[in-house]
């Protein structure tokens, strides 16, 4: 088995208007093929999970923490040879105090899209609490995935996912019933409780996103109407009760297939920001919208992209009234991963090009987090015939 560590770090200087932005690469341990990153910040700490795959079709879920300017040696959470590994439906994880919970997808039958969501709960020290248990307990051989997890205010976790238990049935017109989105809580013992359906009709394969407001959890996802309108919706839990889903903005994007391009939500105090991809008048867009009332309503969308958007967005609050948005767009020369700073009053910074990238599936869904005014981004690159992770950081001070 070939093992090696890239032990160098380099600094790239990018001119943005009259300011210079320094982008520093953070080396990551390389072994086999690595992809499907999930970057998470929690109480000032930064963690990363991803899938490492071997030629014999065995996959492992890895976890690392960012400490003292570097990624720690990866810890293997679990592994298997019967997983469903997909560039868009990547594992999720969350940390609450000394606990970490992770998700991955495991085949439940021979069909292409028949798989379950499997969870693992353990302490950060590695002590196992509950291993390889199912999130979805419906027993239906169908698609379950696109998981989002966040720590609750106690010792457990909130979790949401797309659930295909109804899709094996057909409606009167002969079409299959739609995908749904569901929610549950995971206790610190690994019990799945308070499961509920949030929306009976959603887009089939767009990433979901979850955050916690002052009222409770908020889930953001791509909806699907009977007329095939696939706009972004949010749904909130207040005092233990889920409200009716509301549209973030009436894009009125009608598309008969899933765009595989989900939204991201970020919360800071009572302020909420949502970034998403859509198409309007045949023009692909990346939009950001803010809410100053805990998600009861959202302001008019702010267009982010300058060229044709690919999307695959992420968003994080820089301070009380500004966010950093990452997104992919393409021009006549190539495809790029970019970031911009966006404020509540609609002011948008000049774009910063993080990297020229592959616009296909190999890039995956770039991940962004902010800690102490430093912006961290992780995505997938193709190197020496294999997928590998690339991790960078830059200061937000000159953006």
């Amino acid at each position: 088995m070939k093992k090696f560590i890239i032990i160098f770090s380099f600094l790239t200087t990018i001119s943005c208007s009259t300011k210079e932005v320094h982008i520093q690469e953070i080396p990551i341990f390389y072994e086999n093929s690595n992809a499907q990153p999930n970057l998470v910040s929690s109480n000032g700490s930064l963690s990363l999970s991803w899938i490492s795959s071997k030629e014999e079709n065995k996959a492992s879920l890895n976890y690392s923490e960012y400490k003292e300017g570097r990624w720690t040696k990866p810890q293997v959470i679990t592994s298997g040879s019967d997983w469903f590994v997909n560039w868009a439906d990547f594992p999720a994880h969350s940390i609450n105090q000394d606990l970490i919970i992770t998700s991955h997808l495991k085949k439940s039958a021979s069909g292409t899209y028949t798989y379950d969501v499997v969870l693992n709960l353990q302490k950060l020290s590695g002590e196992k609490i509950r291993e390889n248990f199912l999130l979805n307990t419906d027993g239906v051989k169908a698609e379950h995935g696109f998981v989002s997890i966040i720590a609750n205010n106690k010792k457990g976790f909130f979790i949401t996912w797309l659930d295909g238990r109804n899709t094996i049935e057909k409606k009167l017109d002969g079409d299959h019933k739609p995908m749904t989105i569901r929610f549950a809580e995971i206790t610190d013992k690994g019990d799945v409780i308070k499961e509920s359906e949030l929306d009976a009709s959603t887009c089939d394969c767009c990433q979901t996103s979850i955050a916690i407001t002052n009222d409770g959890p908020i889930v953001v996802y791509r909806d699907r109407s009977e007329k095939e309108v696939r706009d972004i919706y949010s749904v909130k839990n207040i005092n233990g009760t889920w409200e009716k889903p509301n549209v973030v903005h009436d894009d009125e994007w009608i598309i008969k297939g899933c765009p595989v391009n989900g939204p991201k939500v970020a919360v800071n105090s009572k302020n909420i920001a949502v970034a998403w991809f859509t198409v309007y008048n045949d023009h692909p867009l990346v939009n950001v919208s803010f809410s100053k009332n805990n998600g009861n309503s959202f302001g008019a969308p702010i267009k982010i992209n300058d060229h044709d958007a690919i999307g695959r967005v992420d968003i994080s609050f820089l301070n009380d009234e500004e966010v950093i948005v990452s997104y992919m767009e393409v021009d006549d020369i190539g495809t790029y991963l970019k970031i911009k700073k966006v404020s509540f009053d609609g002011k948008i910074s000049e774009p910063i090009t993080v990297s020229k990238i592959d616009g296909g599936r190999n890039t995956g869904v770039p991940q962004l987090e902010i800690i102490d005014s430093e912006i961290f981004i992780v995505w997938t690159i193709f190197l020496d015939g294999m997928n590998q992770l690339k991790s960078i950081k830059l200061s937000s001070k000159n953006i």
Side-chain angles (χ1 to χ4, degrees), residues 2-201:
K2 182 179 181 181
K3 298 182 180 180
F4 56 96
I5 301 177
I6 294 181
I7 58 175
F8 63 86
S9 177
F10 65 84
L11 201 64
T12 301
T13 301
I14 293 179
S15 176
C16 180
S17 297
T18 59
K19 300 178 180 179
E20 290 186 345
V21 177
H22 301 284
I23 297 179
Q24 181 182 354
E25 182 169 353
I26 310 167
I28 295 182
F29 180 88
Y30 283 66
E31 181 180 9
N32 304 309
S33 180
N34 299 274
Q36 294 85 39
N38 179 223
L39 187 65
V40 173
S41 63
S42 176
N43 295 323
S45 66
L46 192 67
S47 56
L48 176 68
S49 65
W50 71 94
I51 290 180
S52 178
S53 301
K54 299 181 180 180
E55 291 182 0
E56 56 266 33
N57 201 33
K58 185 175 182 180
S60 63
L61 179 60
N62 301 277
Y63 163 79
S64 178
E65 295 179 83
Y66 183 74
K67 293 183 177 180
E68 299 179 350
R70 66 181 182 87
W71 292 108
T72 60
K73 183 179 179 180
Q75 178 184 150
V76 177
I77 300 292
T78 187
S79 60
S81 57
D82 54 356
W83 291 13
F84 178 80
V85 178
N86 181 269
W87 71 274
D89 197 352
F90 47 89
H93 78 276
S94 182
I95 295 174
N96 194 346
Q97 299 180 38
D98 66 337
L99 298 179
I100 177 173
I101 189 168
T102 63
S103 74
H104 68 276
L105 306 177
K106 181 180 179 181
K107 297 287 293 183
S108 60
S110 59
T112 303
Y113 299 107
T114 50
Y115 48 87
D116 297 319
V117 177
V118 179
L119 304 178
N120 276 269
L121 179 65
Q122 66 178 57
K123 292 185 178 181
L124 291 174
S125 63
E127 179 184 340
K128 306 294 185 181
I129 296 176
R130 191 177 180 191
E131 297 182 80
N132 295 318
F133 61 102
L134 289 181
L135 169 62
N136 56 287
T137 57
D138 51 287
V140 177
K141 308 301 182 185
E143 182 179 0
H144 308 81
F146 294 96
V147 175
S148 293
I149 317 173
I150 196 167
N152 64 20
N153 294 324
K154 299 177 182 178
K155 293 183 178 180
F157 303 88
F158 295 135
I159 188 166
T160 189
W161 73 100
L162 296 186
D163 192 289
R165 66 184 65 187
N166 296 337
T167 60
I168 62 171
E169 301 178 19
K170 290 187 177 181
K171 299 180 293 185
L172 293 177
D173 60 7
D175 291 334
H176 288 276
K177 291 185 177 180
M179 187 75 72
T180 67
I181 187 167
R182 301 182 72 85
F183 170 90
E185 294 186 31
I186 312 296
T187 71
D188 59 347
K189 303 299 181 183
D191 297 320
V192 183
I193 63 174
K194 298 182 181 179
E195 182 179 343
S196 59
E197 183 181 273
L198 304 183
D199 194 322
S201 179

Side-chain angles (χ1 to χ4, degrees), residues 323-336:
V323 296
I324 298 293
V325 183
S326 63
Y327 60 99
M328 293 169 58
E329 70 175 18
V330 60
D331 61 19
D332 293 337
I333 300 175
T335 303
Y336 301 90

